[in-house]
Amino acid sequence: MIQTIQLFGLPFVNTTQSTWYTHIKTLLHNNEKAFLVTANPELVLRSLRDPAYNRILRQATFITPDGIGVTAASKRMGEPLTATLPGIETARELLRTADTLQKRVFLLGGRPEVMKSLIKQLSIRFPDIQFVGTFHGFGKEAEAAAAIKSAQADLILVALGAPKQEQWIASVYDQVDHGLFIGVGGAFDVWSGHSKRAPKLFRKLKLEWLYRISSHPRGFEKLKDLLLFVLLILRKKSHL
């Protein structure tokens, strides 16, 4: 049984990385159905600003703390989460398991050139995965929604960015009887080689967020949201 902690009105998964990865691999092995959300501070802020988006997130099967910002906030608020569970690592573990079990994988998101490189890279890295749907994220959402009904996918990775990826998942979730759905943000860019993940030193120091902000086209906007998140935590702390 995966335990949760309520933070910002959302139930966050509260467990170790090893327990979490074992759990999601079991879900995939058993052909179960789940909606996974990986929530960073930017996504949390959006959920607080947008009631409709908040309702979508609350439909998720699991919400994990994606990034040191959420876990640090949990400690500050007196409800410490056990571990940070990076979304890109969760998705990578699912792909590894899908390859071992020869599962059916559906991909949506990214630029056309990114998707072309992505399929090539993933096919090399995971030769036993069956890719049953590959759609870029530029005007293909409706086409992908129609295709998901017949795809019989076991794992569905959606890289449309928040809030579009969670909105798309919510819109098609009831149309299938099984499959693990997860929004993966910019993971396709990293896996395809079109952008780089933070160097190991940044990850070891838990500064991956800083690298992403500094290298992102909307870095200033993301930094502003991060500062707003910090102010929100400080204000909540002052009222405890």
Side-chain angles (χ1 to χ4, degrees):
M1 180 70 177
I2 295 294
Q3 301 296 317
T4 61
I5 286 180
Q6 286 286 331
L7 290 170
F8 312 104
L10 299 172
F12 278 86
V13 167
N14 183 37
T15 190
T16 63
Q17 287 189 1
S18 61
T19 298
W20 172 241
Y21 295 151
T22 298
H23 183 71
I24 58 174
K25 290 175 183 179
T26 301
L27 293 178
L28 187 57
H29 180 273
N30 293 340
N31 294 319
E32 296 193 38
K33 184 177 177 181
F35 176 6
L36 313 181
V37 170
T38 63
N40 60 17
E42 186 179 5
L43 187 146
V44 169
L45 279 178
R46 188 180 293 276
S47 76
L48 294 173
R49 294 166 177 163
D50 184 347
Y53 186 57
N54 181 271
R55 286 193 293 272
I56 287 175
L57 296 189
R58 293 180 65 82
Q59 295 173 29
T61 314
F62 298 106
I63 301 175
T64 60
D66 179 17
I68 190 63
V70 175
T71 49
S74 72
K75 294 176 183 177
R76 179 87 179 172
M77 295 167 68
E79 295 284 356
L81 290 162
T82 301
T84 301
L85 304 171
I88 194 168
E89 297 295 346
T90 293
R92 197 191 309 275
E93 290 295 324
L94 286 169
L95 284 170
R96 287 171 179 156
T97 304
D99 185 56
T100 300
L101 300 175
Q102 299 183 354
K103 292 292 188 177
R104 298 164 65 87
V105 175
F106 190 101
L107 305 173
L108 168 63
R111 303 186 303 277
E113 63 272 21
V114 167
M115 289 301 291
K116 184 177 180 180
S117 301
L118 177 69
I119 297 305
K120 181 179 179 181
Q121 293 298 323
L122 291 185
S123 296
I124 294 171
R125 178 65 182 84
F126 306 109
D128 291 325
I129 283 178
Q130 303 176 62
F131 292 102
V132 295
T134 55
F135 297 84
H136 65 70
F138 285 72
K140 291 293 184 178
E141 292 93 327
E143 188 176 339
I148 194 70
K149 299 177 185 178
S150 59
Q152 291 295 304
D154 305 301
L155 174 62
I156 302 92
L157 306 183
V158 185
L160 298 174
K164 289 179 66 177
Q165 59 193 21
E166 289 79 27
Q167 291 169 341
W168 186 86
I169 292 172
S171 72
V172 302
Y173 190 71
D174 291 336
Q175 299 177 24
V176 300
D177 58 9
H178 84 285
L180 303 189
F181 291 76
I182 180 172
V184 295
F188 287 3
D189 289 325
V190 174
W191 293 337
S192 66
H194 282 257
S195 69
K196 294 182 179 180
R197 194 178 177 190
K200 287 184 179 180
L201 178 60
F202 278 78
R203 283 181 266 164
K204 185 175 181 180
L205 296 175
K206 300 189 183 301
L207 292 174
E208 190 168 4
W209 60 271
L210 180 60
Y211 180 86
R212 287 201 304 266
I213 287 175
S214 65
S215 59
H216 197 280
R218 294 191 298 110
F220 179 76
E221 183 180 339
K222 287 181 173 292
L223 179 59
K224 184 173 67 173
D225 275 346
L226 183 59
L227 292 175
L228 287 173
F229 182 76
V230 171
L231 290 175
L232 173 67
I233 302 309
L234 292 175
R235 187 170 63 181
K236 281 183 175 291
K237 177 67 176 179
S238 68
H239 288 85
L240 292 179

